[in-house]
Amino acid sequence: MRIVKPMWIQIVFACVVSACLFGCSEDPNDKAARQFQQQTSETLDNFAKNRDPQATSEQLEKTLSRSRAGGLSGDSASLVAADMRLAKMQLNWTDLQVQTSQLSKAIGTLNQTLERLADNTAQNQRIQGLLALSDAEIVETERWIGSDPNAQSLKGQLAEAQAKEKQLLEKKTALQQNYQKARDTMLDLDAQADQKLRQAQTAAIDKQAELEKAGFDLKSQKKEYYIKAQQSENALAEVSSDLEIVQPHLKRLQDNLRQTEEKLQGLKTSSSRDNLQKQRQELDAEIRQQKDNVKQQLDRLVAQLTQHNKNTDEIINSVNEIIEKYQRVSSRQLEPNVSMSLGQAYALAGAITAAKVYTASDLGLRLEGILRTYETVLAEGLSSPIASKPDIEMTKKAIAYFDQAAQFYQQAASAAGQLRDVDQKATCAVLKGQLLVVKSKIRLADRIEDFETAEKTQLELDKLVEKAKEYGPLFSQSATAILLTKGIDFIPMLPVDSTMVLEGIKKDFVNWRKLRTTAAEAEVERLLTRIQELRKEYPGDEQITPFLDQEQQAMEQAKAKGFAEEEAAPMDANEAAPPADANSVGV
């Protein structure tokens, strides 16, 4: 498994080096300070080589304990030590997710055991019938194959399974139609509301309030259809889960029927009571063993889930301890870093807690479906030991973590905004973190059917997305944007070729040099507005930004000079401006 070091570790890594040097440079003669600087630098150098966050954190804490460094340098080292511990918790959670897949495999193994048990039980029932009617083996086999109305026969079971599959498919189609109808109604209400609000903007003053109210009333009607759409979506998930169980069961029945009909042909020519007796004894022993296996596998599954939850809680507790360490960092210079780290920590705690809810609920739902499918061959009263309903209290705890994460991400953004020369990539990263925790909160609220919270949080998410769009490709081409707006079925587009885009932009900036007087002035005003739009669309592009700077400067000089003083010379489209960088290459 390839582990990618989070970008925030790289940022804090650089910050702590500079902070420690700054703190120690206050007194060059202070031997303890110089020793603290040297030990800290060596520890971080080792991390650059071995990428072991746990060892680095422990070594930094030992250095801090021995030196008792305070102020900015001590807080910086404490911050990076906590960051390293948080990185280790992320790695631990990655390892823990392997256990989740093992739980899923365990249920798959249980399903296979039950399928074999069902096959053996069916075969044993057939053999027992044949032994009881040894003189009429063929008749008994024909009875076992049976016909559609006989629910105890293979054909009857097949017909029942086919009917169940048909019922589920019809239900799925109806739910899809209900979901689409609700979505279409929501879109129609939005369109009607927008139309009313646009009419209000141009209507007479005495009509504006009425039109605006009508628009907002239409928007408020969306809630009912949002709930209907969500309920349909949840029901669709349950139907799809049932189909994943029923369809393999149907295939097994079809195969069993085919095999039994082939055996019938053999019985018509030859039969051996001794052979049937031996088969029955073997099947009896195998069925007893398989029933024991089912119970043992269920016990192991519960034990695995219990251990998984225990391991999960240990990571969450460790993250909470790390949060306490962050909260003890008091240097104002590190406020953006601390807020960002707290946001990361609370987001991780929320994600792990949410995963705990999803794991138990999904496993319980799947196990209930499997046991329900094979209930005829299981001991009476055997039920799923894992609840399929999500743990409400645990879900609320995860939501609280996400709320805390969003709050600290916001604090990080506010603190960073007060600094000079703030990197757009860094502020965009903070906003993307905030977007993801808000999205996670919506998903949790939907899981427990708290649609009011989900709808309210969705409005918050929509506002954040609009804000994120201001970062242009930094957001729009990011994995976060794809997840939020396109979903997992998104097919990524090719990277933007800045060279080709620039050539297209240049053509729009040629004619203004040929115009004079008022025509030139109007064209320049239009292009200056266009420049601001392009800056938002391609922020910081190494080729496009220099061209826009050059054109804006030329236009402002032309405005100051006056457009009627001299006639502009024509210029070829390819000569609008020199390349931004002779060595620049398109993305």
Side-chain angles (χ1 to χ4, degrees), residues 265-317:
Q265 184 61 34
L267 287 173
K268 289 180 177 180
T269 58
S270 173
S271 63
S272 171
R273 184 175 178 82
D274 291 339
N275 185 48
L276 290 174
Q277 184 70 37
K278 182 180 178 181
Q279 288 183 41
R280 190 192 70 175
Q281 293 173 351
E282 292 175 350
L283 283 170
D284 284 342
E286 190 170 350
I287 287 171
R288 286 193 299 270
Q289 182 62 50
Q290 287 172 339
K291 287 184 176 180
D292 288 341
N293 288 343
V294 168
K295 186 178 184 305
Q296 292 171 8
Q297 287 174 8
L298 284 173
D299 291 342
R300 282 199 299 270
L301 180 62
V302 172
Q304 284 179 305
L305 180 59
T306 300
Q307 184 61 45
H308 177 79
N309 288 338
K310 180 181 177 181
N311 295 339
T312 301
D313 290 338
E314 288 175 356
I315 296 178
I316 294 172
N317 291 337

Side-chain angles (χ1 to χ4, degrees), residues 19-197:
C20 288
L21 291 174
F22 175 82
C24 297
S25 65
E26 295 172 357
D27 186 3
N29 298 317
D30 189 334
K31 183 178 179 180
R34 291 198 304 273
Q35 186 178 11
F36 173 72
Q37 174 190 348
Q38 181 180 357
Q39 291 173 347
T40 303
S41 298
E42 290 174 356
T43 301
L44 295 177
D45 287 343
N46 289 334
F47 173 72
K49 297 175 184 176
N50 57 38
R51 294 295 192 271
D52 187 343
Q54 180 70 23
T56 303
S57 176
E58 292 174 356
Q59 187 59 44
L60 282 171
E61 289 174 352
K62 288 179 182 178
T63 301
L64 279 166
S65 178
R66 287 195 299 265
S67 66
R68 298 181 180 178
L72 179 59
S73 57
D75 277 352
S76 298
S78 298
L79 176 60
V80 79
D83 281 339
M84 293 295 177
R85 283 196 179 275
L86 187 63
K88 177 60 177 174
M89 291 306 104
Q90 288 177 316
L91 295 177
N92 289 352
W93 184 38
T94 300
D95 295 337
L96 191 61
Q97 291 179 77
V98 176
Q99 295 182 15
T100 305
S101 64
Q102 291 171 349
L103 288 169
S104 181
K105 289 179 181 178
I107 288 188
T109 301
L110 174 64
N111 186 47
Q112 292 173 358
T113 301
L114 287 168
E115 186 172 337
R116 289 194 297 270
L117 175 60
D119 286 341
N120 288 338
T121 301
Q123 187 178 355
N124 198 32
Q125 290 172 349
R126 180 184 66 84
I127 290 175
Q128 288 178 354
L130 290 173
L131 287 170
L133 301 170
S134 57
D135 293 333
E137 288 179 313
I138 293 176
V139 174
E140 179 61 20
T141 304
E142 289 175 341
R143 185 195 67 78
W144 170 241
I145 292 174
S147 59
D148 292 353
N150 183 5
Q152 298 301 317
S153 69
L154 278 176
K155 286 186 177 179
Q157 292 179 30
L158 181 62
E160 183 179 348
Q162 289 171 332
K164 188 172 183 180
E165 182 193 38
K166 180 181 178 183
Q167 178 186 10
L168 288 171
L169 290 172
E170 289 173 349
K171 185 176 180 181
K172 182 177 181 181
T173 300
L175 286 170
Q176 287 172 333
Q177 291 173 349
N178 291 343
Y179 174 81
Q180 190 59 48
K181 182 178 179 180
R183 292 285 298 174
D184 291 344
T185 303
M186 289 169 63
L187 292 173
D188 184 55
L189 287 171
D190 265 338
Q192 293 180 41
D194 290 342
Q195 183 181 11
K196 292 290 185 183
L197 293 175

Side-chain angles (χ1 to χ4, degrees), residues 508-559:
D508 198 25
F509 286 81
V510 173
N511 290 335
W512 76 270
R513 289 181 168 85
K514 302 176 182 179
L515 301 175
R516 299 177 64 187
T517 62
T518 55
E521 184 175 1
E523 180 67 4
V524 165
E525 291 298 332
R526 183 187 72 82
L527 290 175
L528 287 173
T529 301
R530 174 68 174 147
I531 285 174
Q532 299 308 314
E533 294 172 351
L534 290 169
R535 290 187 190 280
K536 292 180 180 180
E537 189 174 355
Y538 304 99
D541 188 278
E542 295 180 356
Q543 297 187 61
I544 297 174
T545 298
F547 171 77
L548 297 178
D549 290 342
Q550 179 175 305
E551 288 299 298
Q552 183 172 350
Q553 182 180 3
M555 290 179 188
E556 289 173 349
Q557 290 175 352
K559 284 178 63 178

Side-chain angles (χ1 to χ4, degrees), residues 289-461:
Q289 182 62 50
Q290 287 172 339
K291 287 184 176 180
D292 288 341
N293 288 343
V294 168
K295 186 178 184 305
Q296 292 171 8
Q297 287 174 8
L298 284 173
D299 291 342
R300 282 199 299 270
L301 180 62
V302 172
Q304 284 179 305
L305 180 59
T306 300
Q307 184 61 45
H308 177 79
N309 288 338
K310 180 181 177 181
N311 295 339
T312 301
D313 290 338
E314 288 175 356
I315 296 178
I316 294 172
N317 291 337
S318 296
V319 173
N320 284 324
E321 291 174 1
I322 293 168
I323 288 172
E324 292 177 1
K325 291 180 182 293
Y326 285 136
Q327 291 170 340
R328 289 197 288 268
V329 176
S330 58
S331 296
R332 291 183 59 83
Q333 297 96 319
L334 297 176
E335 183 178 345
N337 305 69
V338 173
S339 295
M340 182 63 177
S341 294
L342 280 167
Q344 294 271 3
Y346 277 113
L348 179 60
I352 298 173
T353 306
K356 184 178 177 181
V357 173
Y358 295 137
T359 298
S361 176
D362 292 344
L363 289 176
L365 184 64
R366 186 178 174 193
L367 187 56
E368 282 183 2
I370 291 173
L371 295 180
R372 188 166 56 247
T373 300
Y374 297 106
E375 61 184 356
T376 57
V377 299
L378 292 170
E380 187 176 351
L382 182 64
S383 59
S384 171
I386 303 174
S388 61
K389 295 292 184 181
D391 187 323
I392 301 297
E393 292 304 316
M394 189 64 62
T395 302
K396 290 180 178 179
K397 187 179 293 186
I399 288 175
Y401 278 132
F402 286 136
D403 285 339
Q404 287 283 79
Q407 177 184 341
F408 280 106
Y409 278 134
Q410 184 59 47
Q411 289 183 15
S414 300
Q418 298 174 11
L419 302 176
R420 290 177 296 178
D421 302 324
V422 179
D423 189 339
Q424 265 200 329
K425 291 182 179 179
T427 56
C428 185
V430 175
L431 183 55
K432 286 190 286 188
Q434 191 174 359
L435 282 164
L436 290 175
V437 297
V438 172
K439 181 66 174 178
S440 299
K441 179 179 175 180
I442 294 172
R443 185 186 174 201
L444 276 172
D446 285 338
R447 177 60 71 101
I448 61 174
E449 298 187 354
D450 183 359
F451 301 125
E452 184 176 353
T453 297
E455 183 180 6
K456 187 184 301 182
T457 310
Q458 182 64 48
L459 295 175
E460 179 185 347
L461 179 66

